Amino acid sequence: MSTDQSTPLAAGKDSASPPGHKRGWGGWIAGAALAAFALFFIANCRVALDPRVANPNVHGRPRPVKFIFGLDYITFLDSATVVALIVLLVVFVRGWRRNPGSPVMLMFLCTTLIVWQDPIMNWSPFAVYNPDLIHWPESWPLVSLSPTVEPFVVFGYVMFYFGPYFPAVWVLRKLQAKYGPTSYVARHPLVSLGLLALAIGFVFDAWLEIQLVHTGMYIYSQVIPWGSIFTGTTFQFPLIWESFSVCFVMVPAAILCYRDDTGKSVAEKLAAKAKLFPMRPVLGTFLVMFAIINVSYFAYGAWFWVIKVSHTATSVACPWPYPEAKVYDPQGYYEKAGAQGPYSVGIWSTWASGEPNGRPHVQAPPPGQGACEPARTNG
């Protein structure tokens, strides 16, 4: 790898000029695309709610539950998102300029671009975002799949899905150096890296998501009681189900970037073996990564879809913390628990939600016996 990178530098000014010229045009094109996206977002972002989602009986944004330390984190979350995205952009640009086509930078891009799936992956596990967050218009076809809103914050997913790779590969290299070439970690580096990414990813996800749920950024409106924590409260979290399944993306992201003693990453080898754009190896590597990561993310969604259609996610988050939005209740569990309507079934609410005949008619509990009754949760 080092020989390939040093060759253009040793070839003199004439041979180095064309690549530099191309990078200059590429930089201008990328900059223009980024500026266009920023303007597009500014023109379309909002905090107002579409009538399909909004509760017409509530004015303002009351909160029936206090978030961690009793603070409102929305301004902080929106501001932190902007700062994080600027930092990520700088990191990517600097990393790409130093090492164009690096597998790490390509994975950086892939784990950012999978956000196109995010509305589906909010729908599948009952992930309901705070309507106060700056978000895209709820009327857009793909965006409308989210139970409430689709926020801008998800563009920072690279830190989440690709982050565990760095401590995992660092630990793996340390273990390989310590125990030598005959050790298990040296003879089976991909398995070892996958297990490390799984362990680190599980802990990282649990720690991060529990904090974010407690800040009111989003909730899991329905979870399986077993294997979840804080069940029946606004802050319930499907610990085993979520923190394990996010590793469906974290583990392959780490493995695809692993370089062996030849300096080639797993993704580069797969692209070469598939003879995918052999004259453009960087493009071939990117397409391999993008395909595998997207399939992995679909596997995450399928995992939760099975839970959804099996009707095993019976514990609802009480109280519903976003009264300005209709209660997302496609299977009737909130009404059964005594939560006050109106209710929303969202998109994909029949066969896809395990309700072929639509939202079932349920009997509300007698007064004083519902776990989600306003009088009980507020009093």
Side-chain angles (χ1 to χ4, degrees):
M1 183 184 72
S2 59
T3 304
D4 294 340
Q5 290 175 341
S6 62
T7 301
L9 298 177
K13 281 187 176 180
D14 292 337
S15 60
S17 296
H21 181 68
K22 290 179 182 178
R23 285 198 297 270
W25 275 110
W28 280 107
I29 293 172
L34 181 64
F37 175 80
L39 292 173
F40 177 76
F41 173 75
I42 292 170
N44 289 284
C45 68
R46 61 197 60 204
V47 293
L49 288 177
D50 187 88
R52 180 180 62 82
V53 176
N55 181 356
N57 303 322
V58 172
H59 300 284
R61 303 282 171 108
R63 293 288 174 259
V65 61
K66 288 185 177 181
F67 302 121
I68 189 170
F69 303 127
L71 301 176
D72 184 348
Y73 294 90
I74 294 300
T75 301
F76 168 77
L77 290 170
D78 284 335
S79 302
T81 298
V82 174
V83 172
L85 292 181
I86 292 173
V87 171
L88 288 172
L89 177 63
V90 171
V91 169
F92 179 77
V93 170
R94 288 176 62 87
W96 189 268
R97 287 174 65 88
R98 289 182 178 181
N99 192 1
S102 163
V104 170
M105 291 296 101
L106 292 176
M107 185 57 71
F108 190 113
L109 192 58
C110 285
T111 47
T112 298
L113 294 177
I114 60 170
V115 298
W116 78 267
Q117 290 191 43
D118 192 64
I120 303 171
M121 303 312 160
N122 292 334
W123 168 84
S124 186
F126 298 99
V128 179
Y129 274 92
N130 192 326
D132 274 340
L133 291 167
I134 295 175
H135 56 266
W136 301 105
E138 300 94 312
S139 58
W140 289 1
L142 180 60
V143 169
S144 67
L145 292 176
S146 283
T148 50
V149 301
E150 180 60 27
F152 188 60
V153 67
V154 299
F155 280 94
Y157 268 3
V158 58
M159 297 184 292
F160 179 67
Y161 283 117
F162 194 33
Y165 161 75
F166 297 97
V169 76
W170 180 82
V171 171
L172 177 64
R173 296 302 187 192
K174 290 290 184 181
L175 292 175
Q176 289 173 335
K178 181 177 180 179
Y179 294 106
T182 60
S183 63
Y184 183 89
V185 290
R187 290 183 292 108
H188 304 282
L190 300 185
V191 174
S192 301
L193 180 60
L195 292 174
L196 286 168
L198 175 63
I200 293 171
F202 186 98
V203 174
F204 174 62
D205 173 79
W207 174 83
L208 179 64
E209 289 210 60
I210 289 170
Q211 305 307 314
L212 293 177
V213 168
H214 277 77
T215 64
M217 180 177 173
Y218 60 93
I219 63 168
Y220 287 93
S221 61
Q222 292 181 218
V223 301
I224 300 180
W226 183 84
S228 301
I229 57 177
F230 309 119
T231 52
T233 73
T234 302
F235 311 112
Q236 63 182 12
F237 177 67
L239 178 64
I240 292 177
W241 316 102
E242 171 69 8
S243 296
F244 174 71
S245 60
V246 295
C247 295
F248 295 173
V249 178
M250 294 176 176
V251 170
I255 290 175
L256 286 168
C257 289
Y258 179 78
R259 294 177 183 268
D260 61 15
D261 53 4
T262 68
K264 295 291 185 181
S265 69
V266 171
E268 289 174 299
K269 288 186 171 183
L270 288 175
K273 187 175 182 179
K275 298 181 180 179
L276 192 62
F277 292 99
M279 302 303 294
R280 294 180 178 272
V282 173
L283 177 59
T285 301
F286 170 78
L287 292 176
V288 165
M289 287 181 168
F290 192 65
I292 292 175
I293 293 302
N294 272 275
V295 170
S296 301
Y297 203 19
F298 270 120
Y300 164 88
W303 166 273
F304 274 107
W305 176 76
V306 171
I307 293 173
K308 180 187 285 277
V309 298
S310 66
H311 291 81
T312 52
T314 58
S315 176
V316 292
C318 295
W320 172 259
Y322 314 127
E324 71 273 26
K326 296 173 183 175
V327 177
Y328 180 63
D329 193 25
Q331 297 176 330
Y333 287 109
Y334 264 108
E335 186 176 10
K336 190 175 182 179
Q340 186 174 351
Y343 308 103
S344 168
V345 297
I347 309 297
W348 288 357
S349 58
T350 53
W351 288 96
S353 292
E355 300 291 351
N357 299 315
R359 183 176 182 273
H361 296 285
V362 300
Q363 184 67 41
Q369 297 185 24
C372 281
E373 285 188 39
R376 177 173 179 172
T377 55
N378 290 333

